[in-house]
């Protein structure tokens, strides 16, 4: 047998290890987000509990490997060579999909489907007696349709159940749950723990305990077993609670363990299933000594090598501990969409559909409120009045975290018992979104943006599923038809993509760490941002005027983009005022006041710059007549004056020395006189009919907005001086 197949097996093994690293960081949000979001324990404790769950889970995942072996295609109709090309197409497609928001389960299914279709097309094209109608004999389309229907069902059902369970739980306990929880918390946590235990046994450990007589007896008398388990758990938790131990933390960590166990037990196939199946096929072909042998042996349910499973579990655990920053970044999306409160800049923008949904919800809510008696309505509203009784500063409290874990566990366990293929990622995410809605975390100020965020994530799932199919189809066709040359090219390309993604991610993480460090000091952060903005504004203004006089459309387009980016950055700072002001000393009113002024002037200055670049680009882009020599000469003279003023402003901002602020004031007044003279000159040319109308409008716009930009910059400098002065004076009191 050719040595190239040994190389292919080695490459697939390397990609399996890479897939474990990426998959764990991508899917860790499923079992970590609730614990992290409620700060139920330290990160080390949460990761330790998850590690134990993963280690036990990998030992039970052997039976799930059949998905990669024969779940999406009929291996008995494919030769060894064709199966190896099929598996290569799947793994290479997964490399290309790295970093996209998707479920690893859906990615595996659709990549297998796409690559199987590619190899099937190759077989059909080489057999004149077989038409495309035989495609259904080669692949398992019913499994793919089952996944698609499961996506739709899981999204709707999980969101609805999360909303209902959270609403009822909050009605019972409210946000001020401390007193009531002492009395009835053990019963409630007992029910949650029972759901988690049921989930762990019948979802995470089902393959290990499949033939256990005791488990079979429990399954036969399930209602009674659940009741007994609930009472036993409630009694145990009640006793623990008497020792002043927070049983919510125990429940949440139990949920983390169960979800991590199920994740490792059922989703491990998404990462190593294809390489393990390719290794099995390689052993079969090597034993037969024939690469053209049909792979019907893959239909057999052969237990996976336990050494491989445990090695995969160790890699997953190591990834969990060494990629903490990546995991926190992945969980950021879910936490940002479920955080209690409306402060700060939302991660997503609004959309027409989200605005329509919110308006409809407001109208429906108004109609319902007219029907409900006012006293009952007030009583319900009081249950949802937010109060941070835990004083942890967490995005949400442990009541909601328990609801998220319990509801997710119940839905996944129920779907497993009914043999419905549900995605853990979709269920956990949509339950969290439903509980956020019921908990009134989506207020009037944030609902539009968070609905847009949920829609973006859900749309991303479908897009990446389709993308996985198309990419694996294309890669599979290239490999099966292209031969050795294509194999080498695709291998090198995917290796380069792996390295690029890894180093790009490290650079991004380093940048985020640097930014996080600078944010720790508000003064340094604001000073650096003001300096960067002023220096960028100086450069953009100068290049815009030069480009408009030379009618350089490409340069103007770039300046429009840079000016827009500058404006949106300053606007983001403006919309995050409240969280920043809370970080300032509460009694330091003057400092906060001047901080608001600095941010506002910064925003206005960048807005004026944007109102210069856009009209300039539109004028040239519409092929209007360029500026006259007199107009260009006047503008370049104004440009020199603006550059001199901004150079002094930038030096003062950088050095913190405002001794020349009066000089800047004098230069500003001289500039304004020059602008006034330039406007009078243009009016004279208009009266003499020596000027083009469109060019004159652009000329006036640039001069007017230049005046606004310099005025706001001077105000910005003055406010920055007062801000630093009062900040330093305030520090003396502490």
């Amino acid at each position: 047998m050719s040595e190239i197949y040994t190389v292919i097996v080695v490459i697939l093994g390397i990609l399996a290890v890479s897939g474990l690293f990426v998959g764990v960081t991508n899917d860790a949000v499923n079992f970590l987000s609730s614990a992290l979001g409620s700060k139920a324990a330290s990160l080390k404790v949460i990761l330790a509990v998850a590690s134990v769950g993963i280690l036990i889970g990998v030992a039970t995942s052997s039976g799930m490997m059949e998905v990669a072996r024969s779940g999406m295609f009929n291996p008995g109709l494919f030769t060894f060579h064709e199966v190896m090309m099929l598996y290569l197409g799947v793994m290479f497609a997964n490399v290309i999909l790295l970093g996209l928001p998707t479920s690893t389960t859906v990615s595996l299914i659709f990549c297998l489907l796409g690559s199987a279709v590619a190899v099937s097309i190759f077989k059909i094209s080489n057999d004149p007696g077989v038409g495309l109608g035989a495609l259904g004999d080669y692949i398992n389309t019913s499994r793919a349709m089952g996944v698609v229907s499961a996506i739709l069902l899981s999204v709707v059902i999980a969101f609805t159940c999360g909303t209902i369970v959270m609403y009822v739980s909050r009605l019972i306990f409210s946000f001020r749950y401390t007193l009531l929880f002492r009395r009835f918390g053990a019963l409630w946590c007992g029910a949650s723990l029972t759901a988690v235990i049921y989930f762990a046994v019948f979802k995470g450990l089902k393959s290990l305990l499949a033939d256990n007589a005791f488990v079979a007896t429990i399954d036969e008398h399930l209602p009674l077993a659940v009741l007994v388990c609930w009472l036993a758990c409630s009694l145990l938790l009640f006793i623990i609670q008497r020792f002043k131990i927070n049983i919510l933390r125990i429940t949440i960590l139990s949920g983390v363990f169960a979800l991590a166990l199920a994740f490792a037990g059922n989703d491990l196939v998404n990462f190593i299933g294809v390489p393990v199946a390719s290794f099995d096929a390689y052993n079969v072909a090597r034993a037969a000594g024939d690469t053209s042998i049909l792979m019907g042996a893959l239909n057999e349910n052969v237990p996976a090598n336990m050494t491989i499973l445990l090695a995969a579990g160790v890699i997953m655990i190591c990834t969990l501990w060494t990629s903490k920053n990546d995991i926190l970044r992945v969980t950021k999306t879910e936490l940002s969409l479920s955080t209690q409160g409306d402060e700060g800049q939302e991660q997503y923008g609004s959309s027409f559909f989200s605005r329509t949904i919110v308006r409809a919800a407001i109208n429906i809510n108004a109609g319902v409120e007219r029907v409900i008696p006012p006293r009952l309505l007030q009583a319900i509203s009081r249950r949802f009045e937010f109060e941070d009784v835990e004083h942890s500063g967490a995005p949400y409290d442990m009541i909601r975290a328990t609801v998220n874990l319990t509801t997710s566990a119940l839905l996944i366990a129920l779907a497993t018992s009914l043999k419905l293929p549900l995605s853990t990622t979709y269920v956990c995410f949509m339950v969290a979104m439903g509980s956020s809605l019921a908990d009134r975390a989506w207020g009037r100020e944030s609902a539009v943006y968070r609905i847009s965020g949920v829609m973006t994530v859900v749309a991303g799932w479908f897009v990446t599923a389709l993308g996985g199919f198309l990419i694996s189809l294309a890669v599979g066709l290239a490999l099966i038809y292209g031969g050795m040359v294509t194999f080498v090219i695709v291998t090198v390309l995917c290796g380069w993509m792996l390295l690029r993604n890894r180093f790009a991610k490290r650079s991004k993480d380093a940048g985020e760490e640097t930014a996080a460090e600078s944010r720790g000091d508000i003064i340094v952060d604001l000073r650096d941002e003001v300096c960067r903005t002023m220096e960028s504004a100086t450069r953009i203004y100068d290049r815009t005027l030069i480009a408009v006089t030379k009618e350089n459309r490409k340069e103007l387009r770039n300046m429009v983009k840079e000016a827009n980016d500058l404006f949106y950055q300053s606007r983001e700072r403006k919309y995050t005022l409240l969280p920043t002001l809370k970080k300032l000393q509460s009694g330091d009113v003057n400092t906060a006041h001047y901080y608001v002024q600095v941010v506002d002037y910064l925003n206005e200055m960048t807005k004026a710059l944007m109102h210069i670049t856009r009209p300039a680009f539109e004028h040239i882009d519409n092929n209007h007549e360029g500026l006259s020599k007199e107009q260009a000469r006047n503008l370049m003279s104004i440009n020199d004056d603006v550059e001199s003023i901004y150079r002094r402003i930038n030096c003062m901002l950088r050095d913190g020395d405002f001794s020349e602020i009066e000089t800047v004031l004098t230069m500003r007044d001289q500039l304004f006189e020059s602008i006034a003279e330039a406007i009078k000159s243009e009016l004279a040319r208009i009266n003499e009919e020596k000027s083009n109308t469109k060019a004159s409008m652009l000329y006036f716009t640039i001069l007017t907005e230049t005046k606004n930009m310099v005025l706001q910059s001077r105000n910005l400098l003055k406010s920055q001086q007062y801000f630093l002065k009062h900040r330093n004076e305030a520090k003396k009191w502490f």
Side-chain angles (χ1 to χ4, degrees):
M1 189 167 62
S2 174
E3 295 299 324
I4 187 62
Y5 296 110
T6 305
V7 175
I8 291 175
V9 171
V10 172
I11 291 174
L12 290 174
I14 295 172
L15 292 178
V17 175
S18 173
L20 283 171
F21 280 105
V22 176
V24 170
T25 55
N26 181 66
D27 285 5
V29 64
N30 300 337
F31 52 89
L32 295 180
S33 59
S34 292
L36 293 174
S38 62
K39 295 186 178 179
S42 66
L43 181 59
K44 290 183 179 180
V45 172
I46 295 171
L47 293 181
V49 172
S51 299
V52 176
I54 287 174
L55 195 59
I56 297 175
V58 293
T60 68
S61 63
S62 175
M64 297 300 294
M65 294 299 162
E66 63 187 44
V67 174
R69 294 165 61 93
S70 58
M72 294 305 299
F73 64 97
N74 185 359
L77 298 178
F78 295 92
T79 65
F80 168 68
H81 173 76
E82 292 163 348
V83 165
M84 296 302 285
M85 293 301 103
L86 188 156
Y87 285 149
L88 265 179
V90 173
M91 296 304 290
F92 284 160
N94 276 327
V95 171
I96 298 173
L97 286 172
L98 278 178
L100 295 180
T102 185
S103 162
T104 51
T105 302
V106 173
S107 176
L108 173 71
I109 294 297
F110 278 89
C111 285
L112 275 171
L113 181 63
S115 196
V117 169
V119 178
S120 300
I121 291 174
F122 171 78
K123 291 186 69 68
I124 292 173
S125 64
N126 289 331
D127 189 349
V130 179
L132 281 177
L135 191 63
D137 297 332
Y138 292 97
I139 60 176
N140 186 359
T141 54
S142 61
R143 184 63 180 266
M145 294 303 102
V147 171
V148 173
S149 61
I151 292 173
L152 297 173
L153 283 173
S154 62
V155 167
V156 176
I157 293 175
F159 186 82
T160 304
C161 291
T163 303
I164 294 173
V165 175
M166 186 67 246
Y167 188 82
V168 173
S169 299
R170 193 60 75 188
L171 276 179
I172 296 172
F173 292 106
S174 80
F175 283 98
R176 298 173 292 275
Y177 62 83
T178 309
L179 181 60
L180 189 63
F181 196 80
R182 288 198 195 102
R183 300 175 181 175
F184 306 105
L187 290 172
W188 190 76
C189 283
S192 298
L193 196 56
T194 300
V196 167
I197 292 173
Y198 175 78
F199 169 78
V201 171
F202 289 95
K203 172 68 174 176
L205 300 174
K206 64 180 184 299
S207 60
L208 184 66
L209 303 176
D211 300 326
N212 189 284
F214 179 70
V215 173
T217 303
I218 291 176
D219 200 19
E220 292 176 3
H221 304 87
L222 192 58
L224 179 60
V226 168
L227 178 61
V228 172
C229 184
W230 176 39
L231 294 176
C233 290
S234 299
L235 179 60
L236 177 62
L237 291 174
F238 179 79
I239 296 172
I240 293 175
Q241 193 178 31
R242 297 308 99 186
F243 290 95
K244 306 298 181 182
I245 296 175
N246 191 340
I247 59 176
L248 279 171
R249 298 182 188 275
I250 297 174
T251 308
I252 292 171
L253 291 176
S254 300
V256 170
F257 168 80
L259 284 175
L261 184 148
F263 160 74
N266 296 275
D267 291 355
L268 184 62
V269 63
N270 303 335
F271 316 130
I272 69 168
V274 167
V276 169
S278 69
F279 184 66
D280 291 342
Y282 174 80
N283 288 332
V284 171
R286 187 176 61 176
D290 183 9
T291 58
S292 62
I293 184 175
L294 295 177
M295 288 287 102
L298 292 180
N299 281 315
E300 300 175 6
N301 189 8
V302 179
N305 189 313
M306 187 57 64
T307 303
I308 295 177
L309 295 180
L310 292 177
V314 171
I315 294 174
M316 292 170 77
I317 293 172
C318 291
T319 303
L320 201 63
W321 284 92
T322 58
S323 305
K324 290 182 282 189
N325 291 335
D326 296 333
I327 291 170
L328 292 175
R329 175 176 51 82
V330 171
T331 57
K332 182 179 178 182
T333 297
E334 182 174 316
L335 294 181
S336 68
L337 293 173
S338 56
T339 299
Q340 198 77 37
D342 301 323
E343 296 177 359
Q345 173 79 346
E346 294 292 337
Q347 186 175 348
Y348 296 90
S350 67
S351 64
F352 171 78
F353 192 57
S354 64
R355 291 192 296 269
T356 303
I357 291 176
V358 171
R359 278 194 290 269
I362 291 173
N363 293 332
I364 293 172
N365 185 63
V368 172
E369 287 181 350
R370 285 194 292 268
V371 177
I372 299 177
R375 183 173 296 179
L376 177 60
L377 191 62
Q378 291 175 4
I380 293 174
S381 297
R382 282 195 296 271
R383 309 300 290 177
F384 289 88
E385 291 176 355
F386 176 70
E387 182 177 333
D388 186 13
V389 298
E390 297 172 356
H391 303 294
S392 62
Y396 47 81
D397 63 9
M398 285 187 274
I399 294 289
R400 200 203 304 177
T402 305
V403 168
N404 289 347
L405 290 166
T406 304
T407 308
S408 300
L410 274 176
L411 287 175
I412 297 171
L414 180 62
T416 302
S417 64
L418 297 176
K419 302 190 183 303
L420 293 176
L422 280 188
S423 167
T424 307
T425 300
Y426 299 163
V427 171
C428 293
F429 179 81
M430 293 310 297
V431 165
M433 295 304 100
S435 66
S436 303
L437 175 64
D439 222 12
R440 299 190 181 179
W442 296 3
R444 289 284 294 271
E445 303 300 323
S446 62
V448 169
Y449 310 106
R450 297 191 181 184
I451 290 174
S452 291
V454 173
M455 291 166 55
T456 301
V457 173
V458 173
W461 293 340
F462 287 95
V463 169
T464 48
L466 178 62
F469 173 80
L470 295 177
I471 291 171
S472 61
L473 174 64
V475 174
L477 288 172
L479 289 172
I480 199 71
Y481 279 104
M484 180 61 67
V485 175
T486 305
F487 166 71
V488 173
I489 293 174
V490 175
T491 302
V492 172
L493 177 63
C494 288
W496 173 78
M497 291 183 67
L498 275 174
L499 293 175
R500 189 197 65 172
N501 287 329
R502 187 64 184 169
F503 286 116
K505 182 174 68 62
R506 284 184 178 178
S507 300
K508 182 178 179 181
D509 291 343
E512 289 178 352
E513 288 176 5
T514 303
E517 291 174 2
S518 66
R519 283 194 294 269
D521 188 340
I522 299 173
I523 308 303
V524 175
D525 183 28
L526 181 63
R527 184 201 65 193
D528 291 345
E529 181 172 341
V530 170
C531 292
R532 285 195 304 269
T533 303
M534 294 295 294
E535 290 169 357
S536 298
T538 306
R539 179 179 52 81
I540 293 171
Y541 181 80
D542 176 64
R543 291 173 64 179
T544 298
L545 292 195
I546 294 174
V548 77
T549 56
K550 294 183 177 181
E551 300 185 32
N552 188 336
R553 189 173 66 89
K554 182 178 179 181
E555 181 70 5
L556 285 172
R557 184 195 296 117
N558 294 334
M559 292 304 99
V560 169
K561 182 180 182 303
E562 290 189 25
N564 288 345
D565 292 342
L566 206 62
F567 169 70
Y568 289 124
Q569 289 170 11
S570 64
R571 190 179 69 169
E572 181 178 354
R573 164 75 75 171
K574 187 174 182 179
Y575 284 133
T576 55
L577 273 175
L578 281 179
T580 307
L581 291 177
K582 286 185 177 181
K583 294 178 184 178
L584 296 171
Q585 301 296 339
S586 58
D588 194 4
V589 178
N590 286 327
T591 301
H593 168 67
Y594 289 120
Y595 177 81
V596 172
Q597 283 190 338
V598 169
V599 172
D600 188 54
Y601 289 139
L602 193 67
N603 184 68
E604 292 300 320
M605 188 267 292
T606 55
K607 184 189 295 184
L609 179 64
M610 187 175 62
H611 289 165
I612 292 173
T613 57
R614 283 183 180 177
F617 171 70
E618 290 171 359
H619 183 88
I620 303 302
D621 192 45
N622 289 324
N623 300 309
H624 295 314
E625 186 176 338
L627 300 176
S628 66
K629 292 182 179 180
E630 293 82 2
Q631 290 171 331
R633 185 169 55 251
N634 290 341
L635 285 181
M636 295 314 298
S637 176
I638 297 294
N639 183 26
D640 292 339
D641 293 341
V642 171
E643 186 178 1
S644 298
I645 293 173
Y646 270 40
R647 191 185 309 116
R648 286 182 179 270
I649 291 177
N650 290 338
C651 288
M652 283 189 281
L653 289 172
R654 281 290 179 195
D655 300 337
D657 180 7
F658 298 92
S659 58
E660 295 187 1
I661 195 167
E662 293 303 323
T663 304
V664 171
L665 179 60
T666 303
M667 295 174 67
R668 185 203 68 180
D669 293 339
Q670 293 173 353
L671 173 66
F672 287 175
E673 291 177 4
S674 300
I675 291 175
E677 290 298 325
I679 292 175
K680 290 177 183 179
S681 300
E682 182 63 19
L683 290 174
R685 287 191 290 270
I686 292 174
N687 289 333
E688 297 172 4
E689 297 183 353
K690 294 182 179 179
S691 182
N692 176 272
T693 303
K694 294 289 186 182
S696 295
M697 291 173 60
L698 174 62
Y699 182 76
F700 286 138
T701 298
I702 292 176
L703 290 176
T704 303
E705 294 300 334
T706 298
K707 185 176 181 179
N708 292 335
M709 187 178 72
V710 174
L711 180 64
Q712 300 298 341
S713 301
R714 168 62 174 74
N715 294 337
L716 171 64
L717 178 65
K718 193 173 181 180
S719 294
Q720 179 76 346
Q721 178 191 19
Y722 290 151
F723 174 65
L724 295 177
K725 177 182 176 182
H726 280 272
R727 180 62 177 174
N728 292 332
E729 290 177 353
K731 284 184 177 180
K732 296 177 183 178
W733 293 92
F734 297 94

